[in-house]
Amino acid sequence: MNEEKLNQSLSIVGEENSELQRFLEFSLGEEEYAIPLLSVREVISVPETTPIPKAPSHFLGIMNLRGQVISVVDMRTKLKIKAKENNSEESVIIVDLDGMNLGIVVDSINKVLAFTLKDINEVPEIETQVNAEYIYGVYRKEDSLTVLLNVAKVLDIKDVSALAKKAA
């Protein structure tokens, strides 16, 4: 993988490639995904949301998190992944994307992964339900793969920002 491009995508320019990078791994359906831990503000249970009229189906609405209005998006609906049934582990990851906080609903939080950028592989010809343009790369563990997801590209931040303004 083009390491310079990856560094820019992950906003960690200037750090050594040999340094450990941390990612939060979560599940969407039967697949495992991860996002840079530096972009994660916190993880909460799924809150009640206030729907916004004429919003896309993946946009659940807005929530009040300690006085801050945050948009909540169901990542499974956006990526057309079937949610797990009777799932008590459903969570919301509050992410900071260029200064804008956003909640994304996932099936479960798995763990924090730590590896170097050299351990990230290009997106191989794998069966995944996610468009390759949304993927930074793939981290290969012993017997499974974790897809490194570019949340900003998946959600098209301009659209989410416009919805948040509409809600205000």
Side-chain angles (χ1 to χ4, degrees):
M1 163 165 270
N2 181 336
E3 290 183 16
E4 182 178 329
K5 184 177 176 184
L6 180 63
N7 280 337
Q8 290 172 348
S9 297
L10 296 176
S11 299
I12 51 177
V13 176
E15 295 186 19
E16 292 291 325
N17 289 338
S18 61
E19 289 184 21
L20 284 179
Q21 305 298 315
R22 288 176 169 63
F23 289 78
L24 180 64
E25 184 186 75
F26 55 90
S27 295
L28 298 174
E30 301 301 319
E31 296 181 358
E32 296 175 339
Y33 297 88
I35 57 176
L37 192 59
L38 289 174
S39 67
V40 176
R41 192 173 134 202
E42 64 184 287
V43 175
I44 61 174
S45 60
V46 178
E48 284 191 33
T49 57
T50 302
I52 302 297
K54 298 182 181 178
S57 61
H58 63 274
F59 185 76
L60 297 181
I62 55 174
M63 63 177 255
N64 180 353
L65 182 64
R66 294 182 290 279
Q68 183 179 14
V69 177
I70 296 178
S71 299
V72 179
V73 173
D74 189 331
M75 188 65 83
R76 300 164 299 195
T77 304
K78 174 65 181 174
L79 297 175
K80 299 181 174 80
I81 294 173
K82 186 177 179 185
K84 292 180 181 175
E85 294 182 21
N86 301 322
N87 183 6
S88 63
E89 297 181 22
E90 198 175 60
S91 300
V92 173
I93 303 171
I94 306 296
V95 295
D96 181 351
L97 300 173
D98 295 329
M100 186 176 88
N101 290 318
L102 181 72
I104 57 173
V105 179
V106 299
D107 279 321
S108 64
I109 303 296
N110 299 345
K111 59 190 164 205
V112 173
L113 301 171
F115 49 85
T116 66
L117 295 181
K118 293 177 183 174
D119 295 328
I120 297 174
N121 299 292
E122 287 187 40
V123 180
E125 298 296 326
I126 57 173
E127 284 287 326
T128 181
Q129 298 179 22
V130 177
N131 187 332
E133 73 181 71
Y134 301 153
I135 300 173
Y136 289 126
V138 175
Y139 173 63
R140 186 179 319 193
K141 294 178 284 189
E142 292 175 11
D143 58 347
S144 65
L145 299 173
T146 299
V147 176
L148 306 179
L149 201 58
N150 184 336
V151 175
K153 273 194 173 178
V154 172
L155 298 176
D156 192 358
I157 292 305
K158 292 177 185 172
D159 290 343
V160 174
S161 179
L163 285 170
K165 287 179 183 174
K166 186 189 283 188

